Amino acid sequence: MDVPVTTIRYLPFIHAPPSDISTIYTTLLKRVAIAKHLGQEHILVTADLAIYSKAQQILWSKPEPLDGLVTMRLGGMHLLMSYIASIGKLFGDGGLQKILTSSGLFASASTTQMLQGKHYARGVRGLKIVHEAMMHLFLTSAESYTKANGLPWLDEEMTSRINDLDVAFQERDRAVLKAIFEDVEKQVSAVLYTISRFKEHGRKQSSTFAYWASFLEAGDILLRLTRADRDADFPLHLDAVLEVVPFFHLAGRVNYARYTLGYVLEMKSLETTQPGMFQHLMKGGFVVRRTEAHFNCVPTDQALEQTINREAKSAGGVIGFTLRKGALLRWLLTRHITGEYAEMYKAMCLTKHQAREHEELGQARMTRDLNDVRTAEEYILNHCQDPFNLDEVPEKLVNIVTGQMASAAVEASLSSLPSKGNAAYEEFINGRLVEGEVKSFWDAVPRKITLTFADMKKHLTDNNGKRIVMDTEVLFRRLLAVSKHRDVDFKMVLSYELAAVPPSLFHDDGALRKTNKADLATKLESVCEELIAPPPVTTDAKTAYIIDGMGLVQALNEDHFKTFNDLAEIVLKRLIRILRNPLMDTDNVSLVFDRYNTSSIKSAERQRRGATATETLPTHQIIGTRTVPNFRQFLKGSGNKSDLLRFVSEYVMTNAGDRLPNGKSVVVAGGCHDGQESNVCQVGVLRIYMNYTARRKRLTQEWYCTLSVFRPLSKGSLFVLMTQMSW
């Protein structure tokens, strides 16, 4: 919409707390007086939520000096900042923050601020980049789904028209752009139906798919909010703001959820209550246009930040100006005059030439954004789990970057975000805004607890389910301070542990303490004789090699394999190469894998780290023909390692029998199901089942079972390569 350029003028400051209700009332009276002096019958006032909520309480009480003269609006920039913070709460710990930082797009501290709604412009840009990258992956998977199921998709003619659309956009031909868009919109209904089918199927198949499909919906709303402000499209603005309300409920922003809904209802009622003001808003009166460029309107509160507040806090402003209250007061009282002078000097000094397009539509900015989208997309494909690839995405909810698997409660909470948000939205309307409501608009709104990945850190609880986390260091300091002022028997106090759990064994949050294995190795070395050289090997002796399976897998070069079958084949070839090597002269190779017990100290340490570490559960389904994800990241999860070692063991047992040299054998231990040991020889596969009951004896039993195969070779020599013992 062609909105006239807005004139911005400074008014005198009111030296009082801005959120105080008396200050707000005084401000409204001053504005009404100024409007009457200018011949205006009605004024439009925009404010953030803190001021908007109190101003509305004043106006809804209908005081005589203000009755029917003021229309309040909720600031679009502050609303969008709160919405970005809501997206950050729901999706930040699920992989969004890691994508923004690990891909190199933004620094870690900046990303944290962005997802808290602090850095407005940077936050909008970051979410748009990730949204576009995710949309590319979504449409790519949707196309594969349609081909596999015979559903309609883009034909050559429609693809050609879409390419024409892109060319028209690059050439800034708005008339051609609009004509092509209307033409494509008429033909795309079948494709939209296919996309809805794909989305419905994906939501049923995978919680991870459903979670990131909700992110795409949230990103769509963000784009509509931005476009409504830039194009001064008031109906689109109201519709998009209404779609934001369920996300406010989900993120626990109950005040924004309450007043945003009231704001939309009041704006829509202006068509009958204040027709003149409604027409003003329809013509773009809810935004500010500072230059003649296209697509550059901004919310009123954003224009305030870019002009009055920026000049007040930038060089020559109040920041660092003085600490004396008198000087500060004089600066405030004369600010509107000095501001006028600053504007005049700026108009005199700046060039008259201004860009006709918004900076985001410039070629340099568009190229930069396109490169960043490609960077984010490549990072997701190469280092993360593609959430929309139905052939690979796990059924459960996982963090697509770290591989952390959500608990059952978190999965249930995050996989049904749209339905939960809409339910809270409907509950608020039916309970407070319809006839016969059971609650007042002002009654407290219960927070909808949406569990996220950040809520998976374990805590101690009492009988009532309340969290108990006792910081023993803080407790000790407090007791020490109390003992200096009161008659306290400190020796008696310190005779107790003063902790919810024994500190020598557990952390304050109840997790087992991590031990130092190097200390154990030092103790063992102190009671063992040093072996200068390996024992001699006689010519008639037989030799066996025992190889640390996990060490062998960790040492693999990820550039040498692509699928899980390729990885297992490399392991098998290395075993056969050892058996065929005449210099080694060995008849047996024993491949021993670690075990990853869920009730171990290592597992407790991972759980204690919470959302910053991978979980003990597997995050990827291993299939031989499937591409191996980011290998180093994949191996950080003990559940993944356990499944991978089991897969490698099965592959060796299945494929080694016919390929072993005559008289040679391979023993696989520790990587099988239910603690079984397998002896693979030239005549087939022999499986020996053994139950492991005592946790402390498991590793010893694995070694014993491995060596039991070589009892006939008691006269031979045994070489141990790359052994790693962990209790």
Side-chain angles (χ1 to χ4, degrees), residues 14-25 27 51 54:
I14 297 177
H15 189 55
S19 59
D20 188 87
I21 197 163
S22 60
T23 305
I24 297 173
Y25 184 60
T27 303
I51 297 177
K54 295 180 179 180

Side-chain angles (χ1 to χ4, degrees), residues 395-534:
E395 179 182 352
K396 301 296 184 179
L397 176 61
V398 300
N399 183 314
I400 63 173
V401 180
T402 65
Q404 181 188 20
M405 184 170 288
S407 63
V410 171
E411 180 178 358
S413 178
L414 293 180
S415 60
S416 58
L417 288 178
S419 58
K420 286 183 60 178
N422 291 329
Y425 170 76
E426 295 291 341
E427 179 183 352
F428 183 89
I429 293 179
N430 296 331
R432 301 167 189 261
L433 299 179
V434 298
E435 294 184 3
E437 70 275 5
V438 295
K439 292 184 178 181
S440 168
F441 179 83
W442 308 107
D443 289 344
V445 180
R447 292 181 183 271
K448 301 298 179 182
I449 300 177
T450 303
L451 299 177
T452 65
F453 282 86
D455 296 306
M456 290 172 56
K457 187 174 182 179
K458 294 189 176 181
H459 300 269
L460 298 176
T461 58
D462 62 5
N463 293 333
N464 297 325
K466 296 181 179 179
R467 292 180 175 180
I468 301 177
V469 178
M470 298 177 63
D471 191 329
T472 53
E473 184 178 351
V474 173
L475 181 61
F476 176 78
R477 290 177 179 175
R478 290 175 179 174
L479 289 172
L480 188 63
V482 169
S483 67
K484 292 183 177 297
H485 301 282
R486 297 185 184 179
D487 186 12
V488 177
D489 187 352
F490 212 68
K491 185 175 181 180
M492 184 272 293
V493 171
L494 291 181
S495 65
Y496 297 92
E497 289 184 323
L498 304 177
V501 292
S504 59
L505 298 177
F506 300 93
H507 292 281
D508 293 336
D509 59 359
L512 285 168
R513 287 194 179 275
K514 185 178 180 181
T515 57
N516 192 344
K517 292 183 288 185
D519 292 344
L520 176 61
T522 303
K523 293 292 184 182
L524 293 175
E525 290 173 357
S526 65
V527 297
C528 297
E529 296 183 6
E530 184 176 357
L531 186 63
I532 304 300

Side-chain angles (χ1 to χ4, degrees), residues 649-670:
S649 299
E650 292 289 344
Y651 186 92
V652 171
M653 289 187 291
T654 303
N655 297 279
D658 298 334
R659 299 166 61 179
L660 294 180
N662 189 28
K664 309 288 186 178
S665 63
V666 173
V667 174
V668 180

Side-chain angles (χ1 to χ4, degrees), residues 301-595:
D301 50 338
Q302 183 178 349
L304 174 67
E305 294 288 342
Q306 293 174 343
T307 53
I308 299 175
N309 288 354
R310 174 187 289 177
E311 293 173 4
K313 297 178 181 179
S314 58
V318 72
I319 302 299
F321 176 66
T322 182
L323 295 178
R324 294 184 299 170
K325 292 185 178 180
L328 178 61
L329 182 59
R330 287 194 298 272
W331 185 91
L332 288 173
L333 294 176
T334 60
R335 178 59 190 151
H336 61 292
I337 299 176
T338 57
E340 292 286 348
Y341 279 107
E343 285 292 319
M344 292 178 184
Y345 277 115
K346 188 183 297 184
M348 290 172 55
C349 298
L350 293 181
T351 177
K352 297 297 183 181
H353 174 72
Q354 294 178 342
R356 296 292 300 171
E357 300 287 349
H358 191 273
E359 61 177 8
E360 292 185 2
L361 299 179
Q363 190 61 45
R365 178 62 178 271
M366 291 174 62
T367 302
R368 178 188 171 195
D369 288 346
L370 181 59
N371 292 335
D372 286 346
V373 169
R374 289 172 178 170
T375 299
E377 185 176 357
E378 290 174 0
Y379 176 79
I380 296 172
L381 288 174
N382 297 330
H383 301 282
C384 308
Q385 171 72 60
D386 183 354
F388 304 115
N389 189 334
L390 296 181
D391 295 330
E392 297 183 2
V393 64
E395 179 182 352
K396 301 296 184 179
L397 176 61
V398 300
N399 183 314
I400 63 173
V401 180
T402 65
Q404 181 188 20
M405 184 170 288
S407 63
V410 171
E411 180 178 358
S413 178
L414 293 180
S415 60
S416 58
L417 288 178
S419 58
K420 286 183 60 178
N422 291 329
Y425 170 76
E426 295 291 341
E427 179 183 352
F428 183 89
I429 293 179
N430 296 331
R432 301 167 189 261
L433 299 179
V434 298
E435 294 184 3
E437 70 275 5
V438 295
K439 292 184 178 181
S440 168
F441 179 83
W442 308 107
D443 289 344
V445 180
R447 292 181 183 271
K448 301 298 179 182
I449 300 177
T450 303
L451 299 177
T452 65
F453 282 86
D455 296 306
M456 290 172 56
K457 187 174 182 179
K458 294 189 176 181
H459 300 269
L460 298 176
T461 58
D462 62 5
N463 293 333
N464 297 325
K466 296 181 179 179
R467 292 180 175 180
I468 301 177
V469 178
M470 298 177 63
D471 191 329
T472 53
E473 184 178 351
V474 173
L475 181 61
F476 176 78
R477 290 177 179 175
R478 290 175 179 174
L479 289 172
L480 188 63
V482 169
S483 67
K484 292 183 177 297
H485 301 282
R486 297 185 184 179
D487 186 12
V488 177
D489 187 352
F490 212 68
K491 185 175 181 180
M492 184 272 293
V493 171
L494 291 181
S495 65
Y496 297 92
E497 289 184 323
L498 304 177
V501 292
S504 59
L505 298 177
F506 300 93
H507 292 281
D508 293 336
D509 59 359
L512 285 168
R513 287 194 179 275
K514 185 178 180 181
T515 57
N516 192 344
K517 292 183 288 185
D519 292 344
L520 176 61
T522 303
K523 293 292 184 182
L524 293 175
E525 290 173 357
S526 65
V527 297
C528 297
E529 296 183 6
E530 184 176 357
L531 186 63
I532 304 300
V537 180
T538 59
T539 56
D540 58 343
K542 293 187 177 180
T543 306
Y545 274 76
I546 299 179
I547 301 178
D548 176 15
M550 193 62 232
L552 177 61
V553 172
Q554 290 275 16
L556 294 179
N557 188 337
E558 54 190 296
D559 295 332
H560 294 169
F561 56 84
K562 183 177 181 181
T563 66
F564 286 103
N565 278 340
D566 298 339
L567 185 152
E569 180 65 20
I570 291 176
V571 173
L572 178 57
K573 286 182 177 179
R574 292 197 178 186
L575 300 179
I576 296 176
R577 190 183 306 132
I578 294 174
L579 292 173
R580 292 183 181 276
N581 191 337
L583 297 178
M584 293 186 175
D585 190 25
T586 180
D587 299 306
N588 307 89
V589 173
S590 185
L591 188 64
V592 182
F593 291 111
D594 297 336
R595 293 191 178 277

Side-chain angles (χ1 to χ4, degrees), residues 13 30 33 37 43 59 103-104 111 188 197 199 209 239 242 264 268 336 391 420-421 454 467 500 552 599 614 635 667:
F13 279 82
K30 290 283 188 181
H37 180 73
I43 62 172
L59 296 176
S103 61
T111 303
V188 79
R197 283 274 304 272
K199 185 182 295 186
F209 184 105
D239 292 341
L242 200 60
V264 174
K268 290 189 174 184
H336 61 292
D391 295 330
K420 286 183 60 178
R467 292 180 175 180
L552 177 61
S599 57
T614 54
L635 290 180
V667 174

